[in-house]
Structure formats: C-alpha cells, structure tokens
C-alpha cells in the first residue's frame, strides 16, 4: 500500500515535483557538467531495503536552491534527464512511477550544506537500492536496472 500511495503522489504532484527548481533541459545541461564516477550497483546494492537514517554532504557551493535528483537515460548524465525536486518529496517513500529506466543519476545541490537525508536509487518498488554517496557528481549506475528512488531521513 505504501508503494501505491507513493505512485499516486507522483501522479498527482508530478508538475510540482518536476518543475521546480530545474526544467528538464536545465537538468540535462547541469548534470552533464558534473564530474563522473562509476557506482557498481552489484557490490553496493541493498536488498529489501529498510528505510533508515543518514546524511549526504554536498561538494560544491552556490546559490540557495532546493536539492534536485537528476536521473538520466544515458551514461555520464547525458541524453534525456529528468529532475525531481527533493525538497517537496516525503521521506521514506519509494517512488516507482518512472516510465523509463535510468542508468546514471546525480543530486544537484548548489549549497555547501549537509543534506539531512540520503537518496537511494533502485529497482521497481525499491526492492534493491543503492545510495548516491555525494551531491554534485554524476554516478553511472552499473550492473542493475533502475526505475525508482527514495529520499531517506
């Protein structure tokens, strides 16, 4: 039921989630400038994830904007990328309403603050997940298919 509710939330609020603060073209442009690292999902994956606590440190300073998850259909955060405003998403919910699979992801956070949550990307319904370890960096997600994410606090 939790996943069904999260899917409905995305459907109902998709404009708010996608539109602020970055547009799709802005997200693609921004993410393509991030340094790129490989994240081996097979060695870092969590199965049957229990949503827990954690923090994430940004590694770049800038304007005071909301952190945004950017997921991309191509390696190196290129091609078609979709932004999700992390500031408006509830904690500890899996969002599996993505119609396309993504193979790279990053978190845009122009502040130099510690984010009070983790961002996990995963397979359908977050059955297996991996945490994005840093902000303002693109992660090629190797070894798995990704189409869901969660903000964990």
């Amino acid at each position: 039921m939790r996943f069904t509710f999260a899917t409905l939330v995305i459907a109902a609020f998709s404009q708010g989630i996608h539109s602020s603060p970055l547009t799709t073209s802005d997200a693609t442009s921004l993410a393509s400038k991030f340094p790129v690292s490989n994240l081996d999902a097979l060695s870092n994956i969590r199965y049957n994830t229990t949503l827990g606590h954690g923090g994430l440190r940004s590694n770049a300073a800038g304007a005071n904007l909301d952190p945004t998850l950017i997921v991309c259909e191509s390696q190196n955060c290129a091609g078609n990328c979709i932004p999700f405003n992390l500031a408006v998403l509830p904690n500890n919910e899996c969002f599996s309403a993505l119609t396309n699979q993504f193979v790279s992801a990053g978190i845009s956070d122009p502040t130099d603050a510690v984010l009070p949550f983790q961002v996990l990307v995963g397979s359908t319904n977050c059955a297996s997940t991996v945490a994005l370890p840093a902000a303002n960096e693109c992660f090629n997600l190797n070894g798995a298919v990704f189409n869901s994410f969660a903000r964990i606090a």
Side-chain angles (χ1 to χ4, degrees):
M1 181 164 168
R2 174 185 248 181
F3 300 118
T4 303
F5 175 72
T7 301
L8 292 174
V9 168
I10 282 188
F13 297 105
S14 63
Q15 292 301 323
I17 292 171
H18 287 279
S19 64
S20 176
L22 298 173
T23 66
T24 300
S25 61
D26 289 341
T28 301
S29 176
L30 178 63
S32 69
K33 296 175 184 155
F34 287 161
V36 177
S37 297
N38 290 317
L39 187 59
D40 184 6
L42 293 178
S43 64
N44 294 299
I45 207 152
R46 303 174 190 181
Y47 295 97
N48 298 320
T49 303
T50 301
L51 305 180
H53 300 283
L56 181 69
R57 176 112 179 121
S58 171
N59 60 12
N64 187 16
L65 297 174
D66 293 336
T68 303
L69 172 65
I70 302 172
V71 298
C72 304
E73 295 176 1
S74 300
Q75 293 282 322
N76 303 323
C77 293
N80 187 30
C81 297
I82 303 169
F84 294 92
N85 185 347
L86 293 169
V88 300
L89 296 175
N91 289 325
N92 306 325
E93 295 283 340
C94 180
F95 297 95
S96 295
L98 301 176
T99 57
N100 298 329
Q101 297 173 355
F102 55 93
V103 297
S104 61
I107 300 167
S108 171
D109 181 26
T111 68
D112 196 22
V114 174
L115 300 177
F117 52 82
Q118 284 187 320
V119 177
L120 306 179
V121 293
S123 61
T124 302
N125 295 325
C126 297
S128 56
T129 61
V130 63
L132 298 179
N136 301 314
E137 186 170 348
C138 172
F139 293 95
N140 290 326
L141 306 168
N142 301 317
V145 174
F146 295 88
N147 62 0
S148 65
F149 65 92
R151 173 186 148 157
I152 309 303

